[in-house]
Amino acid sequence: MTFHLGEEVIGGFAAGVVGTLLGFPLDLVKTRMQTQASSSSSSSSSSVKQRGPMSLLSHILRTEGLASMYKGVGPPLVSLSIVNTLSFTSYSYFRQNLFHGQDGWDYNNALAGMLGAPVFGLVTTPENFLKTQMQLDNVQVEREKAKQKQLQQSILKQNLSAVESNIQKQSLQQPKPEGRFTSSFQCARALVSSHGATILYTGHVINTIREAAFVGAYFFCYEGYKCEFAKLLLEGDRLLASMSGSYSSNSDSSWATSLAVPIAGGFSGATSWFLTFPMDCVRAGVQGQLIPTTLSTPIQKQGALETFTQLLKNKGLTGLYAGVAPSIARAFLVSGSRFSAYEGALYLCRMSGFTTGRGQYKDGAANYDN
């Protein structure tokens, strides 16, 4: 299949929109769990209480409402539409014209995917930063209050029982958590006006490294899984057909490739997220820090190495996989739908004659009949 820019752009854009809208609520749960792990383990406040994915999801819906599940969806919806358009288009181009990647388990497919990571990082770093700030907006201030309260209690511990009692009463009367920002645009405007545009690129290095590792594994696994699952589906179909006596060597095998696409997409997303999840956990810790909105308050930003060290100190190696369960579930759902949207958009473009395919759609997969 020859490379065609128009259909690749349409396919990548469709993949970005579908995947983002389906997976955002689970991404919220993942971010909360990641930053729970990077927060101080000595705090006893309910706002930093360690929760499982379903417990946390229920807690968010109960205390913050349904709208909070999509708080901060604007930046990723825009940026991931752009990034998926760029990633699918650049991957297709570099795979065909530079690395000549083959179907199946070919490392050239990983190289073709990774080549665009520096450009992706320029787009996704501000998006991830704003998304993380918005997803944590309802709990950042509460966590900071919990730390301050713990400090006050340690200072007033001796002979100040009346003061402690007053603090406890106030904590019981706290209203529903409310964040500082009303929208992603307002969040960006407030932080940029106080700290400059460079604040949006907090965590840029670790985010770009993560992008390169993820997208390389993503396309490598997708091409490999697609071939393997298509072969398994065909073998299963042949076995059933031979048992019923209706097997024909001329039977159409395109259905196997079509069905293999969402399955391979789901497994490639889950595998890639599992492999790169520690880097994303560090990235979330760096970009999820409480950034003051006033110039009078100094910023004490924590770098990736310090965040990594703190995670290991507080939670051990398991801290690097905090929130992995909702992330894997989200990755399977999003990647399966993303590749289906991509391949489906290409199919519609070519069958409708909208592009140069002129109705001659081929999925580009290997011949699984051999």
Side-chain angles (χ1 to χ4, degrees):
M1 177 63 64
T2 58
F3 174 82
H4 187 273
L5 179 61
E7 61 193 28
E8 295 293 339
V9 167
I10 294 173
F13 179 79
V17 172
V18 172
T20 302
L21 292 178
L22 284 177
F24 195 80
L26 288 173
D27 186 74
L28 168 66
V29 174
K30 177 212 53 155
T31 301
R32 293 284 181 91
M33 293 185 70
Q34 286 176 326
T35 53
Q36 280 181 0
S38 62
S39 62
S40 175
S41 60
S42 60
S43 176
S44 60
S45 171
S46 62
S47 62
V48 291
K49 180 181 177 181
Q50 304 302 304
R51 300 176 184 271
M54 295 308 298
S55 174
L56 182 57
L57 180 63
S58 175
H59 175 75
I60 294 172
L61 285 172
R62 186 175 63 255
T63 61
E64 301 174 36
L66 181 62
S68 66
M69 301 301 296
Y70 279 91
K71 186 173 183 178
V73 72
L77 184 60
V78 173
S79 69
L80 289 180
S81 298
I82 296 172
V83 167
N84 277 275
T85 300
L86 292 174
S87 63
F88 278 92
T89 302
S90 64
Y91 168 69
S92 181
Y93 177 81
F94 290 129
R95 182 186 184 228
Q96 295 180 39
N97 298 288
L98 182 60
F99 293 102
H100 307 292
Q102 302 298 312
D103 295 308
W105 302 101
D106 186 356
Y107 72 92
N108 286 302
N109 295 326
L111 296 176
M114 294 175 67
L115 203 59
V119 177
F120 308 156
L122 293 174
V123 179
T124 59
T125 298
E127 171 260 312
N128 277 325
F129 173 71
L130 291 174
K131 178 193 71 175
T132 304
Q133 287 290 312
M134 291 297 293
Q135 288 178 330
L136 298 177
D137 189 37
N138 289 348
V139 296
Q140 281 177 329
V141 177
E142 298 302 314
R143 291 177 181 177
E144 194 65 25
K145 286 180 180 178
K147 293 179 182 178
Q148 294 298 327
K149 178 181 175 181
Q150 189 177 23
L151 179 61
Q152 290 175 3
Q153 288 177 338
S154 64
I155 295 174
L156 303 174
K157 191 173 182 179
Q158 297 178 346
N159 302 322
L160 291 176
S161 58
V163 176
E164 287 185 357
S165 177
N166 187 40
I167 292 175
Q168 291 174 357
K169 289 180 181 178
Q170 291 179 0
S171 66
L172 293 174
Q173 297 172 358
Q174 287 182 350
K176 181 190 291 187
E178 292 184 2
R180 300 174 294 165
F181 310 117
T182 57
S183 67
S184 299
F185 177 76
Q186 190 258 332
C187 173
R189 184 175 60 182
L191 295 178
V192 169
S193 63
S194 299
H195 308 290
T198 55
I199 194 68
L200 299 178
Y201 280 87
T202 300
H204 177 63
V205 174
I206 184 64
N207 180 68
T208 302
I209 294 173
R210 185 203 65 82
E211 285 283 359
F214 175 81
V215 76
Y218 193 52
F219 286 111
F220 172 76
C221 291
Y222 172 69
E223 298 294 349
Y225 281 138
K226 187 167 72 170
C227 286
E228 297 297 335
F229 281 118
K231 290 178 182 178
L232 287 174
L233 289 169
L234 277 178
E235 289 174 1
D237 182 60
R238 288 170 177 168
L239 179 61
L240 292 174
S242 61
M243 292 175 62
S244 63
S246 59
Y247 173 71
S248 173
S249 59
N250 296 322
S251 60
D252 184 17
S253 63
S254 61
W255 69 269
T257 302
S258 299
L259 185 57
V261 166
I263 301 174
F267 275 96
S268 65
T271 303
S272 303
W273 264 110
F274 183 81
L275 293 175
T276 62
F277 197 81
M279 284 184 282
D280 188 70
C281 200
V282 174
R283 190 260 333 145
V286 173
Q287 295 188 323
Q289 300 169 74
L290 179 63
I291 306 295
T293 55
T294 58
L295 289 173
S296 59
T297 307
I299 301 180
Q300 297 179 348
K301 288 201 298 184
Q302 185 172 278
L305 183 59
E306 189 178 354
T307 301
F308 175 73
T309 304
Q310 185 177 356
L311 280 168
L312 289 179
K313 180 181 178 180
N314 290 343
K315 296 295 179 181
L317 290 175
T318 56
L320 296 175
Y321 277 92
V324 70
S327 181
I328 294 298
R330 166 185 169 273
F332 193 93
L333 172 68
V334 169
S335 297
S337 60
R338 183 171 287 164
F339 275 104
S340 296
Y342 170 74
E343 299 278 6
L346 296 189
Y347 175 82
L348 291 176
C349 285
R350 294 166 184 170
M351 291 300 293
S352 65
F354 181 72
T355 61
T356 55
R358 297 300 179 188
Q360 299 177 356
Y361 177 76
K362 297 179 182 178
D363 54 33
N367 181 10
Y368 302 115
D369 290 327
N370 53 25

